[in-house]
Amino acid sequence: MSSELTSKVDKEARKRAAAVLRDKFLNLIEQLKKGEPLIMEIPMRTLSNAIYDEKRKLLLLGEKKLKRNFLDLNEARRFMQTALMASIIYDALVNDEYPTIRDLYYRGKHSLVLKSIDGKIISSENTWDEQKESDSVIVDIEVFTSLLREEMLILSKEKGKVVGNLRIRSGNDIIDLSKTGHGAYAIEPTPDLIDFIDVDAEFVLVVEKDAVFQQLHRAGFWKQYKSILITSAGQPDRATRRFVRRLNEELKLPVYILTDADPYGWYIFSVFRIGSISLSYESERLATPDAKFLGVSMSDIFGNAKKKPYLSDIERKNYIIKAKEADIKRAEEIKNYEWFKTKAWQEEINTFLQKKAKLEIEAMASKGLKFLAFQYIPEKIANKDYIS
Amino acid sequence: MSSELTSKVDKEARKRAAAVLRDKFLNLIEQLKKGEPLIMEIPMRTLSNAIYDEKRKLLLLGEKKLKRNFLDLNEARRFMQTALMASIIYDALVNDEYPTIRDLYYRGKHSLVLKSIDGKIISSENTWDEQKESDSVIVDIEVFTSLLREEMLILSKEKGKVVGNLRIRSGNDIIDLSKTGHGAYAIEPTPDLIDFIDVDAEFVLVVEKDAVFQQLHRAGFWKQYKSILITSAGQPDRATRRFVRRLNEELKLPVYILTDADPYGWYIFSVFRIGSISLSYESERLATPDAKFLGVSMSDIFGNAKKKPYLSDIERKNYIIKAKEADIKRAEEIKNYEWFKTKAWQEEINTFLQKKAKLEIEAMASKGLKFLAFQYIPEKIANKDYIS
């Protein structure tokens, strides 16, 4: 692709990633030259090697490593897959390609055929059959090289949106996120390539639901309370998490998360704050250990010794949704997560288990958008009425 | 909310919608004053009243109307619901609120209680129990008033994104959609309030998949081929459909739709082009009868008498996904839709039913993004190799 079509930032990112990938795999060639067995040492990604770092408040990969030996029959297939995927990613980097994990799956999908001298097929083996396999190999390469997939210019679908008093540089453009009209800025899949130019905001509010984001945006919430308003549109993707983390870490902005009052909402908060167990290798870069759960909390619904509830008896009757079996089960699981074992979270979860009641943010919006935007949210922030 | 926080455009839209709503329902008061029975006449939204207009190539509501009589026991509940919802929407309009259909459900949800003189509850009736009920009432109000929900400032989540050589005015801002860096512009939920300022593009390309949109955007597709690039991120929502329709109708840009080669992809095309059966009342404003199905088509995969396939034998072997029972069933349904009864579509569907094969766009991207962006798409447009 001609140079004007793609950004300079991308070209530099390609060079960096290609160099790391090359170095890491050249080591294997060195082993081969020395007549040593071909072995890759890759950090283990099992639950037993996912460690909750109390101090940094992050879910991290431990020290355990697995050895992948080309000459071990049990490991040869995975070794082949790893080398194949690395070469495909490397080719994509040097050829100005932007693959997705789905097309990396297709790029590598074929049969390795062993034929006899007279051309008969002796054996045939597929490189991989399902995307689950190739995805897992990509993660191996990420932990092996310490390069996130985004740094290797692997793109993905991206749901996160942002508005607020922030100017950024992305690609060749400078974008003013306070000038998006009624629409919003859709975050790029490679948020590490964004430069923050200047900011005039006091906090970040992340809203689980896109429709509530639209309401708060339209009502001028982020203008009234100098803030950056973000939606993850459900379960947050990697880019949205990384973008939020960077706002917190680099711009020193407090981050508040607003979800439904239910175990699914708590889990969304947890993914922002801690990371997910299955992907603890990425937590170090993607999680925001400083994020706060602003609500909707059980005490907003029912009140407590120190606080009046935000809902009247009749509103509770009309708005509360009865928890399902699956919700109860999920809450009991979450209750046992290391990072939910604080007094405040145990209280929150116990109240839920006792009342068996959940509530959507929309119920708060139905009390009036003015109530949600100009009373409930700012009041809770001012009173530090959140859970860490 | 203070006047600086919300846009002037919204204020004007509110006035327009409130006036229409008021007029429409004041008629009922007139009936009442005259001592006539209270009756709302609402266009029927049944399949039998959804008519495919061959000439305009749109799925439209027919002439049939239903009468909702307040004094008929079978209709009193729905009459009450309609009047209740209209009053909630009207209140929201005059109070600068931006409800969603979810919070309209909550706003109206309560019990109507009939008590005896001594305070005993004689009967209690919920206004509605599920959102399905309140949503259906909203549609009634749309067809009764001829106001789309967006014109009544009812917001919703919104997945559509756009980039390209187009400047628009949205809210109080002017936005240059060619200056979004690696990110994109997330379309607002009320696209009728957008002004097109100027455009330098020759066509619109709508991509079903967000990840493929990201790839084409990043590769500079819309710069190379002066175009406006849009993703619906799956099944298109109302705002994305309306935005695409306006680009086609007002800016006279041809619209090409790129989806997976499977019945789900065809249905996405069909929703853009014709509308959906269940919501034929909105087709007149939301559908783009002029939209073309660019691909991926069966002839791209297998070729035909006039055309070589884009895939080699070995690529077909590696990329094709075997159709499932549900795909076959869906294809047989679609084959019988009035608007798929053209020669080209019947050929397309028959090939699918015969080969039982589907293909994702990502398989094309895996042949190289340059192939997808700078050969496959432009070549097909230049050769008019699409299905209408």
Side-chain angles (χ1 to χ4, degrees):
Chain A
M1 292 144 205
S2 79
S3 56
E4 318 82 60
L5 293 181
T6 59
S7 72
K8 209 178 127 201
V9 181
D10 279 1
K11 290 189 186 302
E12 287 160 6
R14 282 177 192 289
K15 272 189 205 155
R16 281 197 303 273
V20 172
L21 211 55
R22 202 180 151 81
D23 276 3
K24 219 47 189 166
F25 280 85
L26 275 181
N27 274 339
L28 291 177
I29 309 287
E30 290 305 312
Q31 289 176 26
L32 207 60
K33 278 185 183 161
K34 287 185 204 153
E36 291 170 3
L38 268 182
I39 293 174
M40 287 187 230
E41 275 205 336
I42 302 181
M44 274 174 67
R45 296 184 284 110
T46 53
L47 188 55
S48 70
N49 198 34
I51 291 162
Y52 178 60
D53 185 324
E54 191 75 48
K55 212 163 148 198
R56 299 176 60 197
K57 302 206 180 304
L58 282 171
L59 198 61
L60 298 173
L61 270 195
E63 294 290 309
K64 291 185 203 162
K65 291 194 174 180
L66 61 85
K67 291 189 175 180
R68 193 156 288 160
N69 188 337
F70 181 58
L71 295 177
D72 185 322
L73 257 184
N74 294 318
E75 296 167 16
R77 179 180 161 81
R78 189 64 177 236
F79 192 105
M80 170 278 291
Q81 290 177 332
T82 313
L84 171 65
M85 182 58 89
S87 77
I88 296 171
I89 294 175
Y90 185 79
D91 279 350
L93 281 170
V94 297
N95 287 314
D96 280 348
E97 291 272 342
Y98 295 90
T100 63
I101 55 173
R102 186 69 182 159
D103 74 57
L104 287 174
Y105 156 77
Y106 281 116
R107 279 168 202 240
K109 187 169 178 279
H110 61 274
S111 306
L112 300 168
V113 178
L114 179 65
K115 287 182 182 171
S116 63
I117 296 171
D118 56 348
K120 275 187 195 140
I121 292 173
I122 297 171
S123 84
S124 169
E125 180 90 15
N126 288 345
T127 50
W128 41 67
D129 292 305
E130 289 181 27
Q131 196 187 333
K132 234 171 74 179
E133 272 186 282
S134 61
D135 282 358
S136 176
V137 173
I138 293 169
V139 177
D140 279 349
I141 293 172
E142 290 184 275
V143 296
F144 184 55
T145 60
S146 299
L147 287 170
L148 291 182
R149 61 190 65 180
E150 292 82 2
E151 296 176 282
M152 300 186 267
L153 276 301
I154 298 171
L155 303 186
S156 55
K157 75 170 178 178
E158 174 46 43
K159 297 179 299 175
K161 297 179 195 172
V162 55
V163 286
N165 286 318
L166 173 64
R167 280 197 316 145
I168 63 170
R169 185 180 292 107
S170 166
N172 297 326
D173 301 322
I174 288 172
I175 303 135
D176 186 338
L177 303 184
S178 70
K179 301 281 182 213
T180 66
H182 297 150
Y185 184 66
I187 300 168
E188 67 177 272
T190 50
D192 269 301
L193 302 183
I194 294 173
D195 281 335
F196 297 135
I197 298 178
D198 45 44
V199 62
D200 181 21
E202 282 157 19
F203 63 90
V204 176
L205 180 68
V206 181
V207 188
E208 167 194 351
K209 285 183 170 162
D210 189 296
V212 178
F213 168 88
Q214 303 285 355
Q215 292 182 291
L216 291 173
H217 174 27
R218 204 69 166 250
F221 173 84
W222 59 269
K223 292 179 196 162
Q224 178 77 6
Y225 305 97
K226 283 186 177 179
S227 59
I228 294 173
L229 186 65
I230 290 179
T231 181
S232 60
Q235 188 68 29
D237 48 45
R238 295 168 56 109
T240 309
R241 290 164 60 200
R242 178 67 190 150
F243 187 75
V244 168
R245 157 71 171 267
R246 289 195 59 203
L247 292 175
N248 177 250
E249 190 173 55
E250 296 168 36
L251 302 182
K252 311 292 176 208
L253 296 173
V255 170
Y256 304 105
I257 316 262
L258 186 64
T259 74
D260 289 344
D262 62 22
Y264 186 76
W266 305 336
Y267 189 70
I268 286 177
F269 165 70
S270 158
V271 170
F272 270 114
R273 186 166 198 267
I274 311 288
S276 63
I277 295 173
S278 62
L279 297 170
S280 50
Y281 73 98
E282 42 167 59
S283 290
E284 195 162 347
R285 305 270 301 272
L286 269 49
T288 306
D290 192 37
K292 318 261 193 283
F293 179 75
L294 190 66
V296 177
S297 67
M298 290 294 141
S299 62
D300 295 339
I301 307 173
F302 299 104
N304 61 26
K306 287 166 282 180
K307 173 179 156 189
K308 270 175 56 180
Y310 281 101
L311 297 183
S312 67
D313 286 351
I314 191 120
E315 284 168 342
R316 264 197 298 279
K317 177 175 173 301
N318 288 327
Y319 297 163
I320 277 178
I321 301 172
K322 204 168 161 278
K324 291 184 185 141
E325 260 321 300
D327 296 317
I328 306 284
K329 215 184 129 201
R330 194 85 192 83
E332 276 161 356
E333 278 168 22
I334 285 177
K335 201 180 159 186
N336 285 318
Y337 287 175
E338 212 50 58
W339 49 97
F340 276 110
K341 283 187 177 164
T342 61
K343 188 164 167 280
W345 271 115
Q346 292 291 311
E347 263 180 40
E348 180 76 8
I349 300 169
N350 286 336
T351 309
F352 170 81
L353 288 171
Q354 183 211 324
K355 303 275 188 182
K356 295 187 172 44
K358 48 185 194 169
L359 193 96
E360 293 188 306
I361 320 174
E362 284 94 334
M364 289 292 184
S366 80
K367 282 170 64 80
L369 190 49
K370 283 172 204 171
F371 166 76
L372 179 70
F374 303 123
Q375 181 182 340
Y376 174 78
I377 296 173
E379 193 170 286
K380 281 183 63 86
I381 292 176
N383 294 344
K384 297 193 193 317
D385 181 12
Y386 43 69
I387 312 181
S388 287
Chain B
M1 294 145 205
S2 78
S3 56
E4 318 83 57
L5 293 181
T6 58
S7 71
K8 207 178 129 201
V9 181
D10 280 1
K11 291 189 185 301
E12 286 161 6
R14 283 176 193 289
K15 272 189 206 156
R16 281 196 304 272
V20 172
L21 211 56
R22 203 180 150 80
D23 275 4
K24 221 42 192 169
F25 281 83
L26 274 181
N27 273 339
L28 291 177
I29 310 286
E30 290 305 310
Q31 289 176 24
L32 208 61
K33 279 185 183 163
K34 287 184 203 153
E36 292 170 3
L38 267 182
I39 293 174
M40 287 188 230
E41 275 206 338
I42 303 181
M44 273 174 69
R45 295 185 286 110
T46 52
L47 188 55
S48 70
N49 199 33
I51 292 162
Y52 178 61
D53 186 324
E54 190 76 49
K55 211 164 150 197
R56 298 176 61 197
K57 304 208 179 303
L58 281 171
L59 198 62
L60 299 173
L61 270 194
E63 295 289 308
K64 291 183 201 162
K65 291 196 175 179
L66 62 84
K67 290 191 177 181
R68 194 157 286 161
N69 189 336
F70 182 58
L71 294 177
D72 184 321
L73 255 184
N74 294 317
E75 296 166 16
R77 179 177 160 83
R78 187 64 176 235
F79 192 104
M80 169 278 291
Q81 290 177 331
T82 313
L84 171 65
M85 182 58 87
S87 78
I88 296 171
I89 294 175
Y90 185 80
D91 279 349
L93 281 170
V94 298
N95 287 314
D96 280 348
E97 291 273 342
Y98 295 91
T100 63
I101 55 172
R102 185 70 182 159
D103 75 56
L104 286 174
Y105 157 76
Y106 281 116
R107 280 168 202 239
K109 187 170 179 276
H110 63 272
S111 306
L112 301 167
V113 177
L114 179 65
K115 288 183 180 167
S116 63
I117 296 170
D118 55 349
K120 276 190 197 137
I121 292 174
I122 298 172
S123 84
S124 169
E125 179 90 16
N126 288 344
T127 50
W128 40 68
D129 291 304
E130 289 179 30
Q131 197 188 331
K132 233 171 72 178
E133 270 186 285
S134 61
D135 282 358
S136 175
V137 173
I138 293 170
V139 177
D140 279 350
I141 292 172
E142 290 184 276
V143 296
F144 183 56
T145 61
S146 300
L147 287 170
L148 290 183
R149 61 190 66 180
E150 292 82 3
E151 296 176 282
M152 298 185 267
L153 275 301
I154 299 172
L155 303 187
S156 55
K157 74 169 177 181
E158 175 47 42
K159 297 179 300 174
K161 297 178 196 173
V162 56
V163 286
N165 286 319
L166 173 64
R167 282 197 314 146
I168 62 170
R169 185 179 292 109
S170 165
N172 296 327
D173 301 322
I174 288 172
I175 303 135
D176 186 340
L177 303 184
S178 70
K179 301 281 181 212
T180 66
H182 297 150
Y185 184 66
I187 300 167
E188 68 177 274
T190 48
D192 269 301
L193 302 183
I194 294 173
D195 280 335
F196 297 135
I197 298 177
D198 46 45
V199 63
D200 181 21
E202 283 156 17
F203 63 90
V204 176
L205 179 68
V206 181
V207 189
E208 167 194 352
K209 284 182 170 161
D210 188 296
V212 178
F213 168 87
Q214 303 285 355
Q215 294 182 289
L216 292 174
H217 174 26
R218 205 71 165 248
F221 174 85
W222 59 269
K223 291 179 195 161
Q224 177 77 4
Y225 305 96
K226 283 187 177 177
S227 58
I228 293 172
L229 186 65
I230 290 178
T231 181
S232 59
Q235 188 68 31
D237 48 44
R238 295 167 57 110
T240 310
R241 291 165 60 200
R242 178 67 190 150
F243 187 75
V244 168
R245 157 69 172 268
R246 288 195 59 204
L247 291 175
N248 176 251
E249 189 173 55
E250 297 169 35
L251 302 181
K252 312 292 177 207
L253 296 173
V255 170
Y256 304 105
I257 316 263
L258 185 64
T259 74
D260 290 343
D262 63 22
Y264 186 76
W266 305 336
Y267 189 69
I268 287 177
F269 165 71
S270 156
V271 170
F272 270 114
R273 186 166 199 268
I274 311 289
S276 63
I277 296 172
S278 63
L279 297 171
S280 50
Y281 73 98
E282 41 169 59
S283 291
E284 194 162 349
R285 304 272 300 273
L286 269 49
T288 306
D290 192 36
K292 317 260 192 284
F293 179 75
L294 190 66
V296 178
S297 68
M298 290 294 141
S299 62
D300 295 339
I301 308 174
F302 298 104
N304 62 26
K306 286 166 281 176
K307 173 178 154 188
K308 270 175 55 180
Y310 280 102
L311 297 183
S312 66
D313 286 351
I314 191 120
E315 285 169 341
R316 262 197 300 278
K317 178 176 174 296
N318 288 326
Y319 298 163
I320 278 178
I321 302 172
K322 205 169 161 279
K324 290 183 185 142
E325 259 321 300
D327 296 317
I328 307 284
K329 215 184 130 202
R330 194 83 191 85
E332 276 162 355
E333 279 168 23
I334 285 177
K335 200 180 159 185
N336 285 318
Y337 286 176
E338 211 51 58
W339 48 97
F340 277 110
K341 283 188 178 163
T342 61
K343 188 163 166 280
W345 270 115
Q346 291 292 310
E347 262 180 39
E348 180 76 7
I349 300 169
N350 285 337
T351 308
F352 170 82
L353 288 171
Q354 182 210 325
K355 303 274 189 184
K356 295 188 172 43
K358 47 185 193 168
L359 193 96
E360 292 188 306
I361 320 174
E362 283 92 334
M364 290 291 184
S366 81
K367 282 169 65 78
L369 190 49
K370 283 172 202 168
F371 166 76
L372 179 70
F374 302 123
Q375 180 182 340
Y376 174 78
I377 297 172
E379 192 171 287
K380 281 182 63 87
I381 292 176
N383 295 343
K384 296 193 193 324
D385 180 13
Y386 44 70
I387 312 180
S388 285

